[in-house]
Amino acid sequence: MFTLAEVASLSDIQPTYRILKPWWDVFMDYLAVVMLMVAIFAGTMQLTKDQVVCLPVLQSTVNSKVQPDTAGKADFPTVETTTGQEEASMRTVSFGSAPTVTPDILLSRATSSQYQSTEPSQEPKKEQKDSSGRKTNLDFQQYVFINQMCYHLALPWYSKYFPYLVLIHTIILIVSSNFWFKYPKTCSKIEHFVSILGKCFESPWTTKALSETACEDSEENKQRLTGAQSLPKYVSTSSDEGSPSASTPMITKSGFKFSADKPMIEIPSVTILDKKDGEQAKALFEKVRKFRAHVEDSDLIYKLYVGQTVIKTVKFIFILCYTANFVNTISFEHICNPKVEHLIGYTQFECTHNMAYMLKKLLISYISLICVYGFICLYTLFWLFRIPLKEYSFEKVREESSFSDIPDVKNDFAFLLHMVDQYDQLYSKRFGVFLSEVSENKLRGISLNHEWTYEKLRQHVSRNAQDKQELHLFMLSGVPDAVFDLTDLDVLKLELIPEAKITAKISQMTNLQELHLYHCPAKVEQTAFSFLRDHLRCLHVKFTDVAEIPAWVYLLKTLRELYLIGNLNSENNKMIGLESLRELRHLKILHVKSNLTKIPPNITDVAPHLTKLVIHNDGTKLVVLNSLKKMTNVAELELQNCELERIPHAIFSLSNLQELDLKSNSIRTIEEIISFQHLKRLTCLKLWHNKIVSIPSSITHVKNLESLYLSNNKLETLPAAVFSLQKLRCLDVSYNSIAVIPVEIGLLQNLQHFHITGNKVDVLPKQLFKCVKLRTLSLGQNCITSIPDKVSQLLQLTYLELKGNCLDRLPATLGQCQLLRKSGLIVEDHLFDTLPSEVKEVLNQDTSIPFANGI
């Protein structure tokens, strides 16, 4: 027989799981233990003291059939001796030397095991003197035999197996109550939940951090607590519901309360937060987020708990139904007909069961316990189906704290929180704070401010190409407060900071004029917005979804430059509209890098004052360009990588256009170039990185052209019409297939920059060196075999590229190019060594002062 402790271990669970045990589960566990004690007590009594004592029923029919030798044995009867107590009253019957039986007279148990060994002549007197009942003709072994037979035949089965049935039923109930703690698919979730819940409850860093965040005024509280604009709010630390432990630091049980009616006088002191604790808190928020995503997908725990409760209820009904029928079957007296007359000589026996009264009392006690157990099961089912346990709302926590974004949860996550509430609602209140993004951001902000101090930020400040002080923050949890103390900062770049918040302290940064928001939907306070609206001049916004563009961007009245980089085209080629740009009244430059199929109509809102429009597509064909006609004041227009095949006609309506850049398109012919004659102000035309095969002679009509870029095309010749553009200062025809430089190039007396790198030129015409204003001459990667001595006529030359040709020497007259220095001479080292030493000495001279004067 196993001990009570061994059986009770079936219901033993980890102490940490007790928070998931409501009062009814705890009460049922205690009832199960009591039922175990009943079963073990009854079993012990049955094994040690359970006896059935039987005596034959003496009948006349039996007496007539007694054999003579049996009658002779009656002079020496064997009386059964038992270890049990005598429980029946003795009835005295007188008899002679032979056993005479009176019908229907029953014999009680013998109280003596002594044999009558007196002499025959004295036997009648002895019998009459010592006899306490009627004698039978059975010996001891026969009594033992008949007792065993009648125990199994006459005794009801329930009287014999009652302890074992109680034990089996109780074990089943115990297993049913705790199966959800043992089943692998639910045990792992429960263990993870309890672990996270305990860490949220006991984390000292979290307690201190939440205390600090509760002291800060939130915008939501300002709106909710009307009439308290100037009244400071503090954390209410009243512990109305008590604290679980005085030694364990925890947040107050009543949650976070901002009180405007009874403000505290003292402000909690700022806590120095440990970096290690901060990292643990961040990890805790991540665990809560992942656990929620994992557990909310299913309701297995809920179904399993409902299932085991239904099983216990059905088990209770079954036990009650069949047990109640056996209460009356437990009796002290039983009639036994063993059918062993050939062995004993009697057909009927009357037996007594000495454990009957005890078993009956234990059975009634067991029925009472099982009834209480069943009613609790019914209450549990009522609780399970009374409210939707697969939904859990933190409405009360949201009302008591500043964290109004705590989400409601569902499925197994909701059910576990409902179970915890039955233990102590303080757990779910504290746990709810860790589901709040606002809470997480505040905690991250505290940790961020301790990590990114003013000194550390100052070390990251650098100077950009425009010689402006610039700070670039990348992948932080927020914007450190110390950033706004860098009052001399000119450019601020925030990249991949999803929870960036610009506070009122930005008004200290009086030099700030340029802001970059790369995948950073920053939020601004009202005071901060007012400052940015009046001071910000340049804004760069990079986004994946147009919703990432902060709404306040469209209200920056003094903004002059706006750069938008992101997707503005949906999968079905429908335009993703920007919000109205009408408020950007001073916007001059608009740069859009996206995948447009047409120019956004909202751009026309700023058309009257827009001077520069740049559209960089990712290869998506820009089809509709009619909106360009409305931008009459645009001076610079760039349409790059838009898959244009011809020059758009809408461009010819831009009377104020000065510079046109159609880089990286698919333009093959530029016959429409004659229409540029109506654009009197056009001075710069960039048609580079296209597929242009030839330049039409009509280009001569664009008389005001000063810069012409035709590099990276498929040109084979340069028409003479190009050299009729007398105002041309820059000509770039690099990386084509041009073999000859026309002699008409000498007509370009104002030419300052000529690039013909990457072609097939083998001879340089002497007329080229009549362009005495040349400062830059790029002749690299051609087939040139010699450089004429007339290169010395280029007195303003500062840059000469000759690398990648077929030269064997350099002319010594290079030394007469007064502004040319070795740094501006791009040539192979062995060719440079062919120059005379005095020329090399001149080229190696310091260039700082002459170069500056030349420029």
Side-chain angles (χ1 to χ4, degrees), residues 69 274 318 377 408 432 504 567 620 695 778:
D69 54 358
D274 183 75
F318 170 72
C377 289
D408 295 337
N567 180 26
T620 303
I695 302 174
S778 299

Side-chain angles (χ1 to χ4, degrees), residues 192-244:
H192 196 186
F193 173 75
V194 172
S195 174
I196 293 176
L197 191 64
K199 291 178 181 178
C200 293
F201 195 89
E202 298 177 357
S203 173
W205 183 91
T206 304
T207 303
K208 292 184 286 186
L210 292 176
S211 299
E212 292 186 0
T213 58
C215 293
E216 299 176 4
D217 293 338
S218 66
E219 292 296 330
E220 293 150 359
N221 278 339
K222 290 181 181 179
Q223 297 174 3
R224 187 168 66 244
L225 301 176
T226 58
Q229 296 178 359
S230 62
L231 188 62
K233 306 182 187 74
Y234 304 102
V235 182
S236 174
T237 57
S238 59
S239 55
D240 297 336
E241 298 178 25
S243 178

Side-chain angles (χ1 to χ4, degrees), residues 447-480:
S447 178
L448 183 70
N449 291 331
H450 281 87
E451 180 181 358
W452 289 87
T453 60
Y454 176 84
E455 291 75 15
K456 184 175 181 179
L457 289 170
R458 176 59 67 182
Q459 294 175 0
H460 286 73
V461 175
S462 60
R463 288 197 172 272
N464 59 15
Q466 290 76 32
D467 197 32
K468 295 182 178 180
Q469 291 197 57
E470 176 183 297
L471 175 62
H472 187 187
L473 299 179
F474 178 74
M475 290 187 69
L476 297 183
S477 59
V479 181

Side-chain angles (χ1 to χ4, degrees), residues 93-104:
V93 181
S94 60
F95 58 93
S97 60
T100 59
V101 181
T102 303
D104 300 327

Side-chain angles (χ1 to χ4, degrees), residues 688-712:
W688 46 359
H689 296 270
N690 280 281
K691 301 177 181 179
I692 301 172
V693 178
S694 63
I695 302 174
S697 58
S698 57
I699 196 174
T700 186
H701 296 290
V702 192
K703 296 181 180 181
N704 293 322
L705 207 59
E706 297 180 1
S707 300
L708 179 61
Y709 294 84
L710 292 168
S711 64
N712 294 90

